[in-house]
mmCIF file of all heavy atoms in Angstrom:
data_model
loop_
_atom_site.group_PDB
_atom_site.id
_atom_site.type_symbol
_atom_site.label_atom_id
_atom_site.label_comp_id
_atom_site.label_asym_id
_atom_site.label_seq_id
_atom_site.Cartn_x
_atom_site.Cartn_y
_atom_site.Cartn_z
ATOM 1 N N PRO A 1 0.813 -1.220 0.000
ATOM 2 C CA PRO A 1 0.000 0.000 0.000
ATOM 3 C C PRO A 1 0.842 1.263 0.000
ATOM 4 O O PRO A 1 0.513 2.245 -0.627
ATOM 5 C CB PRO A 1 -0.839 -0.118 1.279
ATOM 6 C CG PRO A 1 -0.847 -1.585 1.589
ATOM 7 C CD PRO A 1 0.468 -2.095 1.127
ATOM 8 N N ALA A 2 2.006 1.222 0.727
ATOM 9 C CA ALA A 2 2.852 2.410 0.764
ATOM 10 C C ALA A 2 3.402 2.704 -0.617
ATOM 11 O O ALA A 2 3.526 3.849 -1.029
ATOM 12 C CB ALA A 2 3.986 2.207 1.765
ATOM 13 N N ALA A 3 3.757 1.616 -1.367
ATOM 14 C CA ALA A 3 4.289 1.839 -2.710
ATOM 15 C C ALA A 3 3.220 2.364 -3.650
ATOM 16 O O ALA A 3 3.504 3.114 -4.569
ATOM 17 C CB ALA A 3 4.871 0.535 -3.255
ATOM 18 N N MET A 4 1.978 1.959 -3.408
ATOM 19 C CA MET A 4 0.895 2.391 -4.290
ATOM 20 C C MET A 4 0.394 3.791 -3.960
ATOM 21 O O MET A 4 -0.236 4.436 -4.761
ATOM 22 C CB MET A 4 -0.273 1.399 -4.189
ATOM 23 C CG MET A 4 0.062 0.006 -4.694
ATOM 24 S SD MET A 4 0.510 0.002 -6.429
ATOM 25 C CE MET A 4 -1.079 0.394 -7.141
ATOM 26 N N THR A 5 0.679 4.250 -2.722
ATOM 27 C CA THR A 5 0.142 5.536 -2.280
ATOM 28 C C THR A 5 0.580 6.708 -3.156
ATOM 29 O O THR A 5 -0.229 7.549 -3.504
ATOM 30 C CB THR A 5 0.536 5.793 -0.812
ATOM 31 O OG1 THR A 5 0.038 4.708 -0.023
ATOM 32 C CG2 THR A 5 -0.052 7.110 -0.321
ATOM 33 N N PRO A 6 1.878 6.808 -3.576
ATOM 34 C CA PRO A 6 2.284 7.989 -4.358
ATOM 35 C C PRO A 6 1.666 8.072 -5.741
ATOM 36 O O PRO A 6 1.716 9.107 -6.362
ATOM 37 C CB PRO A 6 3.813 7.821 -4.457
ATOM 38 C CG PRO A 6 4.177 6.877 -3.361
ATOM 39 C CD PRO A 6 3.000 5.970 -3.219
ATOM 40 N N VAL A 7 1.122 6.943 -6.260
ATOM 41 C CA VAL A 7 0.645 6.951 -7.645
ATOM 42 C C VAL A 7 -0.477 7.944 -7.889
ATOM 43 O O VAL A 7 -0.402 8.761 -8.795
ATOM 44 C CB VAL A 7 0.216 5.526 -8.076
ATOM 45 C CG1 VAL A 7 -0.360 5.541 -9.478
ATOM 46 C CG2 VAL A 7 1.408 4.599 -7.994
ATOM 47 N N PRO A 8 -1.587 7.938 -7.068
ATOM 48 C CA PRO A 8 -2.654 8.915 -7.335
ATOM 49 C C PRO A 8 -2.203 10.354 -7.271
ATOM 50 O O PRO A 8 -2.551 11.142 -8.130
ATOM 51 C CB PRO A 8 -3.707 8.576 -6.263
ATOM 52 C CG PRO A 8 -3.438 7.163 -5.900
ATOM 53 C CD PRO A 8 -1.951 6.990 -6.021
ATOM 54 N N PRO A 9 -1.351 10.757 -6.242
ATOM 55 C CA PRO A 9 -0.904 12.147 -6.254
ATOM 56 C C PRO A 9 -0.129 12.504 -7.506
ATOM 57 O O PRO A 9 -0.216 13.610 -8.011
ATOM 58 C CB PRO A 9 -0.022 12.235 -4.992
ATOM 59 C CG PRO A 9 -0.560 11.169 -4.100
ATOM 60 C CD PRO A 9 -0.991 10.066 -5.004
ATOM 61 N N ALA A 10 0.689 11.542 -8.002
ATOM 62 C CA ALA A 10 1.444 11.822 -9.219
ATOM 63 C C ALA A 10 0.505 12.070 -10.381
ATOM 64 O O ALA A 10 0.700 12.992 -11.177
ATOM 65 C CB ALA A 10 2.383 10.653 -9.520
ATOM 66 N N LYS A 11 -0.546 11.240 -10.478
ATOM 67 C CA LYS A 11 -1.515 11.426 -11.563
ATOM 68 C C LYS A 11 -2.254 12.752 -11.396
ATOM 69 O O LYS A 11 -2.497 13.469 -12.364
ATOM 70 C CB LYS A 11 -2.496 10.257 -11.581
ATOM 71 C CG LYS A 11 -1.871 8.939 -12.027
ATOM 72 C CD LYS A 11 -2.914 7.845 -12.092
ATOM 73 C CE LYS A 11 -2.302 6.530 -12.566
ATOM 74 N NZ LYS A 11 -3.304 5.443 -12.625
ATOM 75 N N ASP A 12 -2.607 13.059 -10.119
ATOM 76 C CA ASP A 12 -3.301 14.327 -9.874
ATOM 77 C C ASP A 12 -2.414 15.509 -10.222
ATOM 78 O O ASP A 12 -2.867 16.508 -10.792
ATOM 79 C CB ASP A 12 -3.725 14.403 -8.400
ATOM 80 C CG ASP A 12 -4.797 13.372 -8.070
ATOM 81 O OD1 ASP A 12 -5.427 12.877 -9.024
ATOM 82 O OD2 ASP A 12 -4.996 13.067 -6.891
ATOM 83 N N ALA A 13 -1.118 15.415 -9.874
ATOM 84 C CA ALA A 13 -0.197 16.504 -10.189
ATOM 85 C C ALA A 13 -0.068 16.676 -11.692
ATOM 86 O O ALA A 13 -0.052 17.802 -12.209
ATOM 87 C CB ALA A 13 1.166 16.223 -9.566
ATOM 88 N N ALA A 14 0.023 15.542 -12.401
ATOM 89 C CA ALA A 14 0.122 15.629 -13.858
ATOM 90 C C ALA A 14 -1.143 16.228 -14.450
ATOM 91 O O ALA A 14 -1.092 17.051 -15.368
ATOM 92 C CB ALA A 14 0.372 14.235 -14.445
ATOM 93 N N ALA A 15 -2.312 15.816 -13.897
ATOM 94 C CA ALA A 15 -3.576 16.359 -14.399
ATOM 95 C C ALA A 15 -3.676 17.859 -14.128
ATOM 96 O O ALA A 15 -4.117 18.639 -14.972
ATOM 97 C CB ALA A 15 -4.746 15.619 -13.753
ATOM 98 N N ASP A 16 -3.248 18.265 -12.908
ATOM 99 C CA ASP A 16 -3.268 19.695 -12.581
ATOM 100 C C ASP A 16 -2.341 20.478 -13.500
ATOM 101 O O ASP A 16 -2.678 21.583 -13.944
ATOM 102 C CB ASP A 16 -2.848 19.901 -11.111
ATOM 103 C CG ASP A 16 -3.887 19.355 -10.142
ATOM 104 O OD1 ASP A 16 -5.046 19.167 -10.579
ATOM 105 O OD2 ASP A 16 -3.551 19.106 -8.973
ATOM 106 N N LYS A 17 -1.181 19.912 -13.769
ATOM 107 C CA LYS A 17 -0.229 20.595 -14.650
ATOM 108 C C LYS A 17 -0.800 20.753 -16.052
ATOM 109 O O LYS A 17 -0.694 21.830 -16.659
ATOM 110 C CB LYS A 17 1.073 19.789 -14.702
ATOM 111 C CG LYS A 17 2.183 20.484 -15.495
ATOM 112 C CD LYS A 17 3.470 19.688 -15.422
ATOM 113 C CE LYS A 17 4.577 20.391 -16.207
ATOM 114 N NZ LYS A 17 5.851 19.623 -16.155
ATOM 115 N N MET A 18 -1.431 19.681 -16.551
ATOM 116 C CA MET A 18 -2.042 19.754 -17.876
ATOM 117 C C MET A 18 -3.187 20.759 -17.898
ATOM 118 O O MET A 18 -3.368 21.502 -18.863
ATOM 119 C CB MET A 18 -2.554 18.367 -18.290
ATOM 120 C CG MET A 18 -1.444 17.371 -18.585
ATOM 121 S SD MET A 18 -0.356 17.888 -19.923
ATOM 122 C CE MET A 18 -1.531 17.917 -21.287
ATOM 123 N N ALA A 19 -3.961 20.802 -16.795
ATOM 124 C CA ALA A 19 -5.068 21.756 -16.728
ATOM 125 C C ALA A 19 -4.546 23.184 -16.747
ATOM 126 O O ALA A 19 -5.106 24.062 -17.420
ATOM 127 C CB ALA A 19 -5.892 21.502 -15.460
ATOM 128 N N LYS A 20 -3.452 23.433 -15.997
ATOM 129 C CA LYS A 20 -2.872 24.778 -15.984
ATOM 130 C C LYS A 20 -2.332 25.159 -17.355
ATOM 131 O O LYS A 20 -2.460 26.303 -17.800
ATOM 132 C CB LYS A 20 -1.764 24.850 -14.931
ATOM 133 C CG LYS A 20 -2.275 24.799 -13.503
ATOM 134 C CD LYS A 20 -1.130 24.858 -12.507
ATOM 135 C CE LYS A 20 -1.653 24.816 -11.075
ATOM 136 N NZ LYS A 20 -0.557 24.850 -10.088
ATOM 137 N N VAL A 21 -1.706 24.185 -18.029
ATOM 138 C CA VAL A 21 -1.189 24.454 -19.380
ATOM 139 C C VAL A 21 -2.326 24.790 -20.331
ATOM 140 O O VAL A 21 -2.244 25.730 -21.135
ATOM 141 C CB VAL A 21 -0.390 23.237 -19.904
ATOM 142 C CG1 VAL A 21 -0.053 23.404 -21.376
ATOM 143 C CG2 VAL A 21 0.883 23.056 -19.082
ATOM 144 N N ASP A 22 -3.432 24.016 -20.229
ATOM 145 C CA ASP A 22 -4.590 24.289 -21.087
ATOM 146 C C ASP A 22 -5.190 25.658 -20.783
ATOM 147 O O ASP A 22 -5.592 26.392 -21.702
ATOM 148 C CB ASP A 22 -5.650 23.192 -20.879
ATOM 149 C CG ASP A 22 -5.187 21.850 -21.402
ATOM 150 O OD1 ASP A 22 -4.276 21.840 -22.240
ATOM 151 O OD2 ASP A 22 -5.732 20.821 -20.969
ATOM 152 N N GLU A 23 -5.267 26.008 -19.484
ATOM 153 C CA GLU A 23 -5.808 27.316 -19.122
ATOM 154 C C GLU A 23 -4.928 28.444 -19.656
ATOM 155 O O GLU A 23 -5.431 29.462 -20.155
ATOM 156 C CB GLU A 23 -5.906 27.423 -17.591
ATOM 157 C CG GLU A 23 -7.009 26.560 -16.989
ATOM 158 C CD GLU A 23 -7.014 26.637 -15.474
ATOM 159 O OE1 GLU A 23 -6.161 27.367 -14.919
ATOM 160 O OE2 GLU A 23 -7.872 25.978 -14.846
ATOM 161 N N ALA A 24 -3.589 28.256 -19.576
ATOM 162 C CA ALA A 24 -2.671 29.281 -20.098
ATOM 163 C C ALA A 24 -2.828 29.436 -21.604
ATOM 164 O O ALA A 24 -2.855 30.553 -22.142
ATOM 165 C CB ALA A 24 -1.235 28.896 -19.743
ATOM 166 N N LYS A 25 -2.969 28.296 -22.297
ATOM 167 C CA LYS A 25 -3.165 28.361 -23.752
ATOM 168 C C LYS A 25 -4.472 29.058 -24.101
ATOM 169 O O LYS A 25 -4.527 29.874 -25.028
ATOM 170 C CB LYS A 25 -3.158 26.943 -24.335
ATOM 171 C CG LYS A 25 -1.784 26.281 -24.340
ATOM 172 C CD LYS A 25 -1.851 24.906 -24.970
ATOM 173 C CE LYS A 25 -0.480 24.250 -25.015
ATOM 174 N NZ LYS A 25 -0.546 22.888 -25.630
ATOM 175 N N ALA A 26 -5.532 28.730 -23.348
ATOM 176 C CA ALA A 26 -6.831 29.345 -23.612
ATOM 177 C C ALA A 26 -6.774 30.856 -23.360
ATOM 178 O O ALA A 26 -7.315 31.657 -24.134
ATOM 179 C CB ALA A 26 -7.902 28.700 -22.741
ATOM 180 N N ALA A 27 -6.091 31.252 -22.261
ATOM 181 C CA ALA A 27 -5.982 32.680 -21.952
ATOM 182 C C ALA A 27 -5.183 33.412 -23.039
ATOM 183 O O ALA A 27 -5.539 34.518 -23.462
ATOM 184 C CB ALA A 27 -5.307 32.862 -20.589
ATOM 185 N N LYS A 28 -4.112 32.786 -23.498
ATOM 186 C CA LYS A 28 -3.296 33.400 -24.548
ATOM 187 C C LYS A 28 -4.088 33.521 -25.852
ATOM 188 O O LYS A 28 -4.027 34.549 -26.537
ATOM 189 C CB LYS A 28 -2.040 32.557 -24.776
ATOM 190 C CG LYS A 28 -1.060 33.181 -25.751
ATOM 191 C CD LYS A 28 0.212 32.347 -25.846
ATOM 192 C CE LYS A 28 1.197 32.989 -26.813
ATOM 193 N NZ LYS A 28 2.443 32.185 -26.924
ATOM 194 N N ALA A 29 -4.841 32.455 -26.184
ATOM 195 C CA ALA A 29 -5.653 32.493 -27.403
ATOM 196 C C ALA A 29 -6.711 33.586 -27.317
ATOM 197 O O ALA A 29 -6.974 34.309 -28.281
ATOM 198 C CB ALA A 29 -6.307 31.125 -27.632
ATOM 199 N N LYS A 30 -7.335 33.741 -26.126
ATOM 200 C CA LYS A 30 -8.355 34.778 -25.934
ATOM 201 C C LYS A 30 -7.739 36.176 -26.067
ATOM 202 O O LYS A 30 -8.322 37.081 -26.671
ATOM 203 C CB LYS A 30 -9.014 34.616 -24.570
ATOM 204 C CG LYS A 30 -10.201 35.561 -24.345
ATOM 205 C CD LYS A 30 -10.854 35.282 -23.007
ATOM 206 C CE LYS A 30 -12.087 36.149 -22.800
ATOM 207 N NZ LYS A 30 -11.769 37.581 -22.850
ATOM 208 N N ALA A 31 -6.525 36.333 -25.471
ATOM 209 C CA ALA A 31 -5.856 37.636 -25.565
ATOM 210 C C ALA A 31 -5.537 37.981 -27.013
ATOM 211 O O ALA A 31 -5.734 39.122 -27.458
ATOM 212 C CB ALA A 31 -4.580 37.615 -24.721
ATOM 213 N N ASN A 32 -5.072 36.991 -27.770
ATOM 214 C CA ASN A 32 -4.771 37.229 -29.186
ATOM 215 C C ASN A 32 -6.041 37.568 -29.964
ATOM 216 O O ASN A 32 -6.039 38.462 -30.817
ATOM 217 C CB ASN A 32 -4.105 35.997 -29.786
ATOM 218 C CG ASN A 32 -2.701 35.785 -29.248
ATOM 219 O OD1 ASN A 32 -2.052 36.737 -28.810
ATOM 220 N ND2 ASN A 32 -2.213 34.555 -29.273
ATOM 221 N N ALA A 33 -7.131 36.854 -29.652
ATOM 222 C CA ALA A 33 -8.399 37.117 -30.338
ATOM 223 C C ALA A 33 -8.903 38.529 -30.026
ATOM 224 O O ALA A 33 -9.374 39.251 -30.907
ATOM 225 C CB ALA A 33 -9.433 36.069 -29.938
ATOM 226 N N ASP A 34 -8.789 38.925 -28.742
ATOM 227 C CA ASP A 34 -9.221 40.274 -28.355
ATOM 228 C C ASP A 34 -8.366 41.336 -29.048
ATOM 229 O O ASP A 34 -8.878 42.384 -29.477
ATOM 230 C CB ASP A 34 -9.117 40.432 -26.831
ATOM 231 C CG ASP A 34 -10.132 39.570 -26.099
ATOM 232 O OD1 ASP A 34 -11.125 39.147 -26.743
ATOM 233 O OD2 ASP A 34 -9.942 39.306 -24.898
ATOM 234 N N LYS A 35 -7.075 41.068 -29.177
ATOM 235 C CA LYS A 35 -6.175 42.021 -29.831
ATOM 236 C C LYS A 35 -6.534 42.176 -31.304
ATOM 237 O O LYS A 35 -6.592 43.294 -31.832
ATOM 238 C CB LYS A 35 -4.732 41.523 -29.682
ATOM 239 C CG LYS A 35 -3.693 42.506 -30.182
ATOM 240 C CD LYS A 35 -2.303 41.973 -29.901
ATOM 241 C CE LYS A 35 -1.252 42.967 -30.405
ATOM 242 N NZ LYS A 35 0.130 42.460 -30.143
#
């Protein structure tokens, strides 16, 4: 169980990172569109 414990946080961290990247891309695209 101890070895399996870090797996979900790693997946969550990767998902959060991907979500932040997508949000940054969306914000940049919106800024370009507004410009």
Side-chain angles (χ1 to χ4, degrees):
M4 295 299 291
T5 302
V7 176
K11 290 183 179 180
D12 293 342
D16 292 341
K17 185 176 180 180
M18 290 300 297
K20 290 179 180 179
V21 170
D22 292 339
E23 288 177 0
K25 288 182 178 180
K28 186 176 181 180
K30 186 177 183 301
N32 290 335
D34 292 341
K35 187 176 180 180

